[in-house]
Amino acid sequence: MTTASRTEPVPIAAHATCAAAGVRDGLRAAQYYVRDLANADRFGKGEPERVPFLSRAVAQAARLVDRLMNCGANLSIALFLPSWRKMPSPFTPGLMHDVARGIRDDSLIHNPTFNAYFFRAAIHIAGRYSAPPWLILEHRVDAARRSLGPRADESAPENEMMARILIALAEQGPIARIGAVSEKNRFFARVEPNVAVFAIACVALMFAEEGRPTEAIDEDEFFSVTGALIGPRLPVIAGYIEIHDEAGLARELTDIKSMY
């Protein structure tokens, strides 16, 4: 869990929603790996007879648990904190600074703007570039936010701030698994999924900082444009992340932004 803010009380609704997300993440990981160990998704949809009976039974039970768990989490979110499920648009002017504020606030609330943007963006991007099922854990996004708290610097340039955020997210690994990547998106599979997904999310935030570039493009399409632009640079980005070279990664992000 997060550390408590020293400046303002936290409403009970935020605690309840935080608890619901934590329980949901834990159970989702459990059912995902139970289904994986049972080889339930190993065979094609047209070959159900090849799936052993026990695997089918385990898979069906796991999916039922996942549906019930999602219904419970969605109900608690709808009652306590409806904004939880809404991804802040990267086109919102000033969003990058709101994301940074979520780091500095050291808040117990599990879903400040930082969590809301990067968790929902990861779902959008993974869905755009890979096939389901995915396993994306919200509490790991929050762990990245908390790891950045002691190093929060309001005066840091945006490229340095994004470099730190990207390294922290890749290190915490909120994306445990993604599905198959299609041939047309093979650039996406050249690096570890956390690097690819969060690099796109961070660069999109930099690109869109001045507001919506055009009314004819939505968030999903904008993530696709961003992915196409930075695809050839992903191995270089991954190299900087691997050695924790913030300065080198910040320079790379500056060069990428200059292309846009």
Side-chain angles (χ1 to χ4, degrees):
M1 294 295 291
T2 54
T3 54
S5 171
R6 309 295 192 272
T7 58
E8 58 184 44
V10 180
I12 188 65
H15 288 290
T17 314
C18 175
V23 171
R24 182 199 62 208
D25 277 356
L27 292 176
R28 175 167 291 159
Q31 71 85 22
Y32 186 95
Y33 285 112
V34 164
R35 199 175 76 208
D36 190 50
L37 289 171
N39 291 319
D41 301 311
R42 181 178 58 185
F43 304 102
K45 291 182 179 179
E47 306 172 296
E49 68 282 354
R50 295 185 58 197
V51 183
F53 172 78
L54 182 60
S55 291
R56 289 201 304 271
V58 169
Q60 288 170 358
R63 292 188 182 106
L64 177 60
V65 169
D66 192 44
R67 283 196 295 271
L68 292 174
M69 177 179 59
N70 272 322
C71 288
N74 290 338
L75 179 60
S76 66
I77 288 165
L79 290 173
F80 295 129
L81 202 62
S83 61
W84 187 289
R85 289 295 191 198
K86 183 175 175 59
M87 184 185 78
S89 171
F91 302 129
T92 305
L95 181 65
M96 186 184 300
H97 300 289
D98 289 341
V99 165
R101 193 176 303 116
I103 297 170
R104 294 191 298 271
D105 284 348
D106 189 29
S107 171
L108 178 65
I109 299 177
H110 189 46
N111 195 46
T113 305
F114 183 98
N115 296 53
Y117 174 71
F118 284 110
F119 176 63
R120 302 305 298 174
I123 293 174
H124 280 251
I125 295 166
R128 196 75 176 182
Y129 288 103
S130 68
W134 318 287
L135 181 58
I136 303 174
L137 303 175
E138 189 172 3
H139 75 278
R140 301 311 303 166
V141 176
D142 192 62
R145 177 180 70 88
R146 286 183 282 115
S147 73
L148 290 164
R151 305 179 55 216
D153 180 4
E154 296 188 28
S155 62
E158 66 177 33
N159 60 336
E160 292 181 13
M161 180 177 66
M162 282 295 110
R164 290 175 187 171
I165 289 173
L166 179 50
I167 289 173
L169 286 165
E171 188 175 58
Q172 292 297 332
I175 301 169
R177 189 81 65 88
I178 62 170
V181 177
S182 65
E183 181 63 22
K184 68 176 182 178
N185 294 324
R186 60 185 180 276
F187 75 88
F188 188 76
R190 295 175 66 191
V191 298
E192 204 270 332
N194 283 282
V195 172
V197 167
F198 291 113
I200 293 172
C202 286
V203 173
L205 198 55
M206 294 178 68
F207 282 170
E209 176 59 19
E210 299 304 320
R212 183 181 289 272
T214 172
E215 294 298 324
I217 189 170
D218 63 16
E219 283 82 0
D220 280 342
E221 292 168 330
F222 191 62
F223 286 137
S224 293
V225 171
T226 302
L229 283 172
I230 73 169
R233 315 286 282 264
L234 285 176
V236 175
I237 291 173
Y240 285 128
I241 291 174
E242 184 175 3
I243 61 175
H244 287 69
D245 185 350
E246 288 184 5
L249 183 56
R251 289 193 301 271
E252 182 68 15
L253 293 177
T254 300
D255 290 343
I256 288 173
K257 188 175 180 182
S258 69
M259 299 188 309
Y260 182 65

